[in-house]
Amino acid sequence: MSAEAADREAATSSRPCTPPQTCWFEFLLEESLLEKHLRKPCPDPAPVQLIVQFLEQASKPSVNEQNQVQPPPDNKRNRILKLLALKVAAHLKWDLDILEKSLSVPVLNMLLNELLCISKVPPGTKHVDMDLATLPPTTAMAVLLYNRWAIRTIVQSSFPVKQAKPGPPQLSVMNQMQQEKELTENILKVLKEQAADSILVLEAALKLNKDLYVHTMRTLDLLAMEPGMVNGETESSAAGLKVKTEEMQCQVCYDLGAAYFQQGSTNSAVYENAREKFFRTKELIAEIGSLSLHCTIDEKRLAGYCQACDVLVPSSDSTSQQLTPYSQVHICLRSGNYQEVIQIFTEDNLTLSLPVQFRQSVLRELFKKAQQGNEALDEICFKVCACNTVRDILEGRTISVQFNQLFLRPNKEKIDFLLEVCSRSVNLEKASESLKGNMAAFLKNVCLGLEDLQYVFMISSHELFITLLKDEERKLLVDQMRKRSPRVNLCIKPVTSFYDIPASASVNIGQLEHQLILSVDPWRIRQILIELHGMTSERQFWTVSNKWEVPSVYSGVILGIKDNLTRDLVYILMAKGLHCSTVKDFSHAKQLFAACLELVTEFSPKLRQVMLNEMLLLDIHTHEAGTGQAGERPPSDLISRVRGYLEMRLPDIPLRQVIAEECVAFMLNWRENEYLTLQVPAFLLQSNPYVKLGQLLAATCKELPGPKESRRTAKDLWEVVVQICSVSSQHKRGNDGRVSLIKQRESTLGIMYRSELLSFIKKLREPLVLTIILSLFVKLHNVREDIVNDITAEHISIWPSSIPNLQSVDFEAVAITVKELVRYTLSINPNNHSWLIIQADIYFATNQYSAALHYYLQAGAVCSDFFNKAVPPDVYTDQVIKRMIKCCSLLNCHTQVAILCQFLREIDYKTAFKSLQEQNSHDAMDSYYDYIWDVTILEYLTYLHHKRGETDKRQIAIKAIGQTELNASNPEEVLQLAAQRRKKKFLQAMAKLYF
């Protein structure tokens, strides 16, 4: 069976191909009401709305006495409704533009299948196997209508569609939209499978040389009568509305052209077919005129298609002079002749024929190629961008961000090209005053933005600049430049070359300082400093930029270097290296640090060790940002260097705290627990708090699988963290003589401050270490006496359950820390169900019930493949389910409460019945009954609706009870499968509401 035949049979599965002819004539007398309604100037409802209503009513499924859903019955009422829908479409003259705009794909598919059926298209026959020339005219036209719609729908589905803004979430509406979306996708799948056949059918239609006829309201009336009348008139050549051959071919050519054009994205050879069809369409439109009844072509869209085809497939007999600018640009881009593109854009600045959007799209394409590694295109990108910028200036638009970025580092070649484009883009004899003013303002602003005076004089001495700016404006510009550089004597008169003007020493120093700021090449930095120190010995060049920052522990040593040149060089190399490392430019940072290390090795062992330490930190960052992200272990020599740093005992070496943090975090992240627990020297545990903390964390991870009584290290870690989170108190006597207690937030009692501990934790990525730290802070949060809702966490049982001195702990700071830690851990792994449950518990404890439900549902979704598998019981414990129940109850979603009561190990009937008694429910109520599998709850619902007189809802509950899979006599496996299926659907529906 063909795809379209199967599609048609699915749409009309409950009706025979030739419906009974009896009784149809009886209702035709009443249809005069429909014709009167359609003849109104503005009928309400509109015709297309009538089609939807008729087909929806005709396709409604029925329910038998056993409450089983049956296909739509083939009775008189449904046949009448389908015929009425066809008559309304006939009233609209089967205009696909109108029908597609107002009807969804499933509805239009049903309508056209009804047309095929009533037009006597033989069932089970492929359209491509039918000879259109031998078919009755109305039958051939029905086949063409269906296949035209098929390829138009495929083409339309390839266009991006702007999503409508969703309203408030309503489960019934969302389910209906999802069903319609799935149905549309299934129909599109069938249409795409038969696309090749549809194209062959339409190609065959172009060979017909006879007029066709399309059904009218009258011919549809005749079809409803006796078979004799049908055969006697509707199949004759004079029945229906006449469609001329040229009109039919014009419409078919246009639709085929659109289909071929859409296929061209994957097979460029097909563009030739599209071009042929579109140009044939233009010829046919010229023949039949624009007043045709059956040929409604969007001529603007057709012109766009033709223009695109001209670009993609230029005519073989056309010369380069006959090509449009679009075609020329496209050919140049494909052949890599970018200089010709620049030439076209420059000439277009005079004619202004190419749209700005097209020019910008060409620039975007070049940018994309350049970013993919083609460095040769950088210069082309600037030149095309310069052409576009000049076009913008001439039309009064602002300068683009891309031009400012590309012109950030100007050079002589860029200035020359910009001046050339400006000169060729303005016809001074014909240009308007506003256009000249725009160009003059642009050149003046370019001058003001330049720091190198060589480039300023290149522009100010150019013929175009002298012509466009008046003497007063040039004098004003010179004054502005003089204020910016007071010691430079600028010449007002144009000069032939910048090199003819002697530059003062201050100009050279300023230029060198500017280069010093921008350069990241260590050897270039050294050359610039040598030149600067040769010009003056009074300046300290390490102060040139306030962005150069060196840690205070290093700056004292560096600034103590006696030789000024060496001091400046060491300071600047380190400052630039640290900055490059901060912005993750690790390659330049390594070059700068290596040069600095080579320099200081000659005269300072202390600074040599400093640089070795900084290079170790840089290598850690490089690995973590590179291969470490993919899980690749660091090389053994890097681990050895980290150990060496931790064990280093050199006196008088300035050390940065962050390096110790990063080294300990590095060892924990790569599970070097054996070293941290057994091999760390004892002196390190006393002198370095981060090593002490790392040792406790590593030992706790190592002991975790053991019995609870063996976890001595966990208790030590607990005591260390409690001390860090404790506040020191001091007494102060007030003016009234009373003594008050003052708490100090950052306690000095612990081995480090709480802020330092938090900073260290945020360098960790190992899940087990983060889980242990998080569970410790959660337990510390739960210890307080006034806590109402505990937060749950993995491994929480390993920590002590009490604190001797509760008053000393700053629980407010602990609560803030827990929130920050959860936020950080979820940024590391947003799919860790344990961390998601903690986040949900925090929202639950702070009365944010909607957010709590979001995270409870997310925790279940990530460990069950979005609820397609059962949620593990250790994730959805009874406590979690009870909290979800409370959230739903406080959000007035009482039906959801009753359903969740089934999830408990022992069903909570009391809570379920009480929630169902609530009439002010904010959820979908009876729409959720399909998710209830407990028969007792369903029976209570039936009783409740009967008691309230709610017949419709009672029927829904009865229908839910009557499902065979809920029969109590079923095996336990069947009942569990039914429950699991309903759990899955309910949790997925809840996720759609709260995600």
Side-chain angles (χ1 to χ4, degrees), residues 516-579:
L516 184 64
I517 292 171
L518 295 178
S519 180
V520 288
D521 180 359
W523 305 114
R524 178 60 183 152
I525 292 170
R526 179 174 175 273
Q527 287 176 343
I528 293 170
L529 283 173
I530 290 172
E531 289 184 48
L532 287 170
H533 278 275
M535 292 180 179
T536 175
S537 59
E538 301 173 358
R539 298 281 301 278
Q540 295 181 337
F541 293 104
W542 63 270
T543 62
V544 164
S545 174
N546 57 7
K547 301 292 184 183
W548 293 339
E549 294 180 356
V550 168
S552 57
V553 291
Y554 298 159
S555 59
V557 181
I558 295 172
L559 297 180
I561 298 173
K562 294 181 180 179
D563 181 69
N564 292 341
L565 174 60
T566 306
R567 179 198 61 211
D568 287 345
L569 185 55
V570 171
Y571 190 98
I572 293 171
L573 288 174
M574 178 174 281
K576 283 178 174 284
L578 291 171
H579 173 73

Side-chain angles (χ1 to χ4, degrees), residues 325-357:
Y326 292 100
S327 304
Q328 293 178 36
V329 170
H330 189 77
I331 292 169
C332 292
L333 289 175
R334 285 199 298 181
S335 62
N337 187 1
Y338 301 117
Q339 295 298 334
E340 185 64 26
V341 175
I342 296 167
Q343 180 72 17
I344 294 170
F345 277 19
T346 305
E347 293 172 358
D348 182 66
N349 283 348
L350 281 172
T351 60
L352 307 179
S353 59
L354 290 173
V356 175
Q357 292 80 3

